[in-house]
Amino acid sequence: MYLKPFSVLKGRYLVGDVLSEGGLWIIYVCLDMVLQVKRVIKEFFPANYFTRKSDITSDVIFREEQNIESVLKWKETLLKEAGKLARFSNLPGMAGVCDYFSENQTIYIVEGYFEGITLKTYVNSAGGKVH
């Protein structure tokens, strides 16, 4: 169900390993081949609605035809939200949306990549509370 490693999106982003998955997104690390920097690319992939024949194509396929209209509206809303979030990408402490686009019958949001631990790991190490 994942994109093949070394897939290229938008002719610019070289896809690497899966960082996480669940809910609405599969999150990959990628290389921005234009700027030569590591990024995160989020692929809209609600597993209850989508599947992919990854050995054949990168395109997502709807599992059930009756859900197409609602998922298309969902994608449109998420693209608009990505555009709004891109305006805040220069704020300190924000990963920031660098790019967003449609491809493979789904949408992608590109964000900055930060080395470090996840919020979940931090919270667990802090006894379940954020200080």
Side-chain angles (χ1 to χ4, degrees):
M1 95 170 153
Y2 304 124
L3 288 169
K4 288 182 182 179
F6 306 110
S7 297
V8 176
L9 297 172
K10 200 179 176 185
R12 177 177 183 158
Y13 302 105
L14 182 65
V15 176
D17 292 332
V18 173
L19 295 175
S20 68
E21 65 173 298
L24 301 179
W25 304 95
I26 300 174
I27 302 173
Y28 306 87
V29 65
C30 72
L31 174 68
D32 181 331
M33 297 185 299
V34 173
L35 299 177
Q36 293 296 305
V37 295
K38 196 183 281 189
R39 301 267 189 221
V40 168
I41 192 158
K42 296 167 60 175
E43 178 182 43
F44 179 65
F45 196 95
N48 292 343
Y49 299 98
F50 287 173
T51 189
R52 176 184 4 247
K53 294 184 179 177
S54 58
D55 56 330
I56 300 171
T57 179
S58 294
D59 287 352
V60 299
I61 303 162
F62 285 96
R63 288 185 185 274
E64 298 176 21
E65 293 294 318
Q66 70 263 23
N67 296 319
I68 291 176
E69 283 297 315
S70 59
V71 173
L72 291 176
K73 288 179 185 175
W74 210 356
K75 286 173 24 178
E76 186 178 317
T77 300
L78 289 168
L79 275 178
K80 287 178 185 175
E81 291 299 317
K84 291 176 185 176
L85 287 171
R87 294 185 221 154
F88 300 104
S89 61
N90 61 340
L91 295 177
M94 297 244 338
V97 173
C98 308
D99 197 1
Y100 54 97
F101 55 94
S102 296
E103 193 170 315
N104 299 327
Q105 307 302 315
T106 191
I107 60 172
Y108 297 89
I109 298 175
V110 182
E111 297 178 354
Y113 178 86
F114 294 101
E115 295 283 345
I117 63 172
T118 65
L119 178 60
K120 181 178 181 179
T121 301
Y122 173 78
V123 170
N124 288 339
S125 69
K129 296 181 181 179
V130 178
H131 301 278

